Amino acid sequence: MRGLALVLRELGHRPVNAGLSVLGLGAGVALMVVVHLLATAAERETRRVVRDMGFNLRIIPRDTDIGRFHELGHSEGTLAEDAATRLAAGAGTFVSFNHLTPTLERWTNVLGRDALVTGLGAAITGPGERKAPMGFTVGAGRACLGAAVARRLGLKPGGSLEVAGRTLQVEKVLAEAGNVDDVRVYTSLADAQAILGLPGRISEIRAIDCLCLTSDRDPLGQLREALGRILPEAQVLQLRAIADARARQRQSAEGFAALATPLTLVVAGAWTGVLAFLNVRERRAEIGLWRALGSGSGRVLLLFLGRAVVIGLAGAALGGAAGTWAGLHFGPTLYPVTSAALAPDWAWLARLGWMTPAFAALACLVPAAMAVAQDPSETLRAD
Amino acid sequence: MITCNSLAKVYRTPDGREAGIRDVSLGADAGEMVVVRGPSGCGKSTLLLALGGMLRPDSGRVMLGGVDVYAASAGERGRLRATTVGFVFQMFHLVPYLPVRGNVLAGLPRVTREGEARADALLEELGLAGRRDAMPATLSAGERQRTALARALAKAPRLLLADEPTGNLDPANARIVFERMDRFRREGGAVLVVTHGADATPFATRTWEATGTGAPCGFRRAGVAGEGDDGATRGMFS
């Protein structure tokens, strides 16, 4: 009889041991799938929430007077417009920075009152990434108005306004934010450069940091070091509260996965190993018989490791299905903002499909070795 | 077919007693049924397992079909058992999750059409054809031992080693088992039976008995009426 048929028959003959083994591995796999699905969802949710919170890095000219910067809300100096593309081209930039958005802003008179004209260039993301833009983009000849500006000027979407001789069509009126955004007039970078008479210049590059390190690990030092190598004429400021919130949320998700994964491996491995040990004990006479029939160590080893592999495959299938179901069922409640993006991770499941049998075989290696080392004469002798 | 010279194997039982065999020299040729008789605990199973290449002796030599069993590698010993030796145990040792036919086929080194035909013929001959799909747990003791005997014979071995083969059987089943082993002998096979009872004696061509009262035991040749007779003394099962 072929090895696989023997293994399947033996599993059917001892359904309790086999069932408990499959359940144990299945529970471990399910937990890992759920943790993976939810950690991915948490990451996605964090990205979305933080993206909605806005940029947390401002890269401004090195010689900017920080007092004036905070007083005005923007740098008085400027950088060349290609600073963003040069930064993007630098080695390792996207390890530290992302969503590089060249920006030009200045207070200027808009129909008799001061408003903060903010021109936004196209965001540059890491190679191969297709990230949604942070906030919004503004097309040429269009404007998005802060709530206070729109109210003051009596403007609504579809209306138009003239700034420094340039007519802009109102595309959107932003919800009241309760901060300086309420007095902004967002335009495209080119329009802002024309309005402010600063062609080819930007006042800063807005960005988001990718390090996700809390302040105790000095992320700013690392960001400055990275920036100094590529763009020495600039300095970087970090909006620490936003950056720390993002980092903490991501680290919390990663920390949970980092704890759950080894714990799951240890518990599932011990469970599988103990059940395999009981199986070997129960089959001592059978092992002796196979030896008497001429089976070598390799065949006995394969009998037990093959059993472990079959159990691992069943556990992977059961756990993969259960974990995916649980993740998809409970995920939307935990992460409502990005719930639509929750989906089975087929690549992860495929990986578990071969890793679980290998893990089961590893967990059963000691009991299988005990089976091989067993002296058949002890179980076969009648006197 | 098989001989052993000055074979010794001593071990301690869980209760601290010495057990095993000492200085045993005997053998079985093709066409012989050698019966080794002795009380429980005298080392008969130890002797049988050592002869079958399953238990390395402390000293002495076992020659099986011209091969020095314990000078051979473990793999060679395994191949020797798979092709040349059939074991029959008192406790049957059937694989509990295989049906009767599966157990018989498990005795084949490779499942071939000829092997399957031989297995089916043995099942028929031993009255198990109707039970070929039955699981061991549903079999009577006699059926289990007949299945074990069919398994031992399915590979067409040259030597049959039987350890108390009828120890758990009623006389009718014991007779079936010994008659089949006797037929195997008459067809040119060698049989070596270890037993504490006398039920194998009528079939024996040679008999050995345990010597002394304490363990480890030795064995000496016994003179038995009817020894060498091809069946004249089988009346004890009638």
Side-chain angles (χ1 to χ4, degrees):
Chain A
M1 187 165 283
R2 302 177 85 134
L4 180 61
L6 277 180
V7 166
L8 294 177
R9 277 188 175 276
E10 193 278 331
L11 289 172
H13 180 69
R14 297 185 176 89
V16 175
N17 187 301
L20 287 175
S21 301
V22 171
L23 274 180
L25 277 174
V29 169
L31 190 62
M32 291 186 73
V33 170
V34 167
V35 166
H36 172 73
L37 269 182
L38 296 187
T40 308
E43 165 86 20
R44 199 165 37 230
E45 189 97 342
T46 303
R47 283 176 190 275
R48 179 70 64 83
V49 169
V50 172
R51 194 192 77 193
D52 293 347
M53 288 166 78
F55 297 98
N56 58 30
L57 295 179
R58 300 182 76 176
I59 298 165
I60 58 176
R62 175 170 282 282
D63 56 4
T64 297
D65 179 326
I66 295 300
R68 288 288 290 161
F69 174 81
H70 287 301
E71 182 187 341
L72 295 171
H74 63 79
S75 170
E76 288 184 300
T78 59
L79 295 164
E81 187 180 340
D82 71 352
T85 48
R86 279 194 288 131
L87 177 57
T93 289
F94 291 102
V95 175
S96 309
F97 306 92
N98 212 336
H99 285 283
L100 306 175
T101 308
T103 306
L104 175 63
E105 54 186 354
R106 286 285 186 273
W107 289 99
T108 194
N109 189 289
V110 176
L111 300 174
R113 301 283 287 274
D114 278 350
L116 188 57
V117 171
T118 305
L120 300 173
I124 307 170
T125 55
E129 294 182 4
R130 303 178 80 190
K131 289 179 180 286
M134 302 278 293
F136 53 86
T137 55
V138 187
R142 296 178 178 275
C144 291
L145 304 182
V149 173
R151 193 164 51 240
R152 185 198 309 151
L153 301 177
L155 287 169
K156 291 182 176 170
S160 64
L161 77 160
E162 197 174 301
V163 186
R166 212 174 173 86
T167 302
L168 301 170
Q169 189 172 9
V170 179
E171 183 175 305
K172 189 193 283 183
V173 174
L174 303 174
E176 192 166 326
N179 59 28
V180 73
D181 289 347
D182 290 343
V183 292
R184 281 185 197 276
V185 174
Y186 284 103
T187 69
S188 69
L189 180 60
D191 283 336
Q193 287 169 335
I195 288 166
L196 300 171
L198 292 168
R201 307 302 293 177
I202 58 174
S203 56
E204 66 181 277
I205 302 166
R206 294 183 176 184
I208 191 159
D209 94 87
C210 306
L211 294 174
C212 280
L213 302 175
T214 41
S215 49
D216 56 313
R217 293 167 68 185
D218 190 26
L220 199 50
Q222 297 185 40
L223 292 168
R224 283 184 175 147
E225 196 275 326
L227 184 71
R229 278 187 285 110
I230 306 161
L231 220 56
E233 70 270 35
Q235 62 174 306
V236 58
L237 304 179
Q238 187 185 40
L239 307 180
R240 181 151 284 176
I242 296 175
D244 275 3
R246 180 172 195 250
R248 282 201 192 92
Q249 188 161 350
R250 180 182 278 198
Q251 285 174 5
S252 144
E254 287 173 353
F256 178 64
L259 178 71
T261 302
L263 199 66
T264 304
L265 290 177
V266 168
V267 172
W271 177 264
T272 309
V274 166
L275 286 167
F277 172 73
L278 293 176
N279 183 256
V280 167
R281 272 189 54 154
E282 200 176 347
R283 296 171 69 185
R284 291 178 72 225
E286 183 197 331
I287 296 164
L289 172 71
W290 289 121
R291 293 295 212 179
L293 294 176
S295 294
S297 302
R299 186 173 161 82
V300 173
L301 195 68
L302 274 179
L303 213 54
F304 285 90
L305 292 185
R307 180 181 188 275
V309 167
V310 170
I311 283 172
L313 282 170
L318 178 73
T324 302
W325 175 84
L328 297 181
H329 186 73
F330 297 111
T333 312
L334 297 169
Y335 305 107
V337 177
T338 54
S339 62
L342 271 167
D345 186 339
W346 298 113
W348 178 255
L349 289 172
R351 210 172 305 146
L352 284 173
W354 68 262
M355 285 174 75
T356 309
F359 173 76
L362 200 64
C364 296
L365 203 55
V366 171
M370 288 168 64
V372 169
Q374 181 193 296
D375 180 357
S377 68
E378 285 182 14
T379 54
L380 295 178
R381 80 168 84 235
D383 62 352
Chain B
M1 180 65 225
I2 186 165
T3 57
C4 67
N5 289 304
S6 306
L7 206 60
K9 174 71 184 178
V10 178
Y11 62 94
R12 285 201 177 274
T13 59
D15 58 6
R17 284 186 304 109
E18 270 197 343
I21 52 173
R22 61 177 164 79
D23 196 23
V24 178
S25 299
L26 50 76
D29 287 326
E32 270 199 306
M33 183 186 292
V34 173
V35 173
V36 179
R37 222 168 51 195
S40 292
C42 77
K44 302 186 299 295
S45 295
T46 302
L47 171 65
L48 195 89
L49 292 169
L51 291 174
M54 302 274 290
L55 185 62
R56 182 178 288 279
D58 299 332
S59 60
R61 190 156 78 151
V62 177
M63 296 295 292
L64 174 56
V67 177
D68 186 339
V69 173
Y70 292 99
S73 68
E76 284 174 279
R77 278 200 299 280
R79 276 189 291 280
L80 208 55
R81 286 197 298 274
T83 56
T84 309
V85 185
F87 281 96
V88 182
F89 302 102
Q90 180 181 3
M91 303 307 294
F92 326 126
H93 292 310
L94 299 181
V95 180
Y97 50 85
L98 294 181
V100 166
R101 188 170 187 270
N103 263 286
V104 176
L105 293 178
L108 298 173
R110 264 206 334 271
V111 179
T112 58
R113 202 162 290 176
E114 292 78 17
E116 285 190 281
R118 207 161 42 241
D120 289 334
L122 281 163
L123 289 175
E124 187 77 41
E125 187 187 341
L126 289 164
L128 293 165
R131 303 285 278 154
R132 52 188 282 157
D133 296 321
M135 298 304 285
T138 66
L139 302 177
S140 68
E143 287 172 327
R144 288 181 197 191
Q145 194 59 302
R146 281 182 273 146
T147 303
L149 182 58
R151 178 182 63 199
L153 294 172
K155 70 177 84 167
R158 292 163 65 195
L159 171 67
L160 205 55
L161 295 174
D163 187 359
E164 303 279 12
T166 56
N168 287 325
L169 302 188
D170 57 73
N173 273 298
R175 176 179 175 165
I176 294 170
V177 167
F178 275 123
E179 283 183 344
R180 186 61 187 85
M181 289 201 293
D182 187 56
R183 183 180 154 191
F184 170 75
R185 173 190 72 78
R186 282 186 277 114
E187 287 168 353
V191 182
L192 198 147
V193 181
V194 299
T195 178
H196 69 276
D199 50 357
T201 308
F203 295 90
T205 56
R206 275 195 288 163
T207 305
W208 294 73
E209 282 180 343
T211 57
T213 51
C217 289
F219 295 90
R220 66 172 168 76
R221 181 91 187 270
V224 176
E227 197 176 79
D229 185 333
D230 262 356
T233 55
R234 270 165 242 167
M236 69 176 292
F237 290 112
S238 302

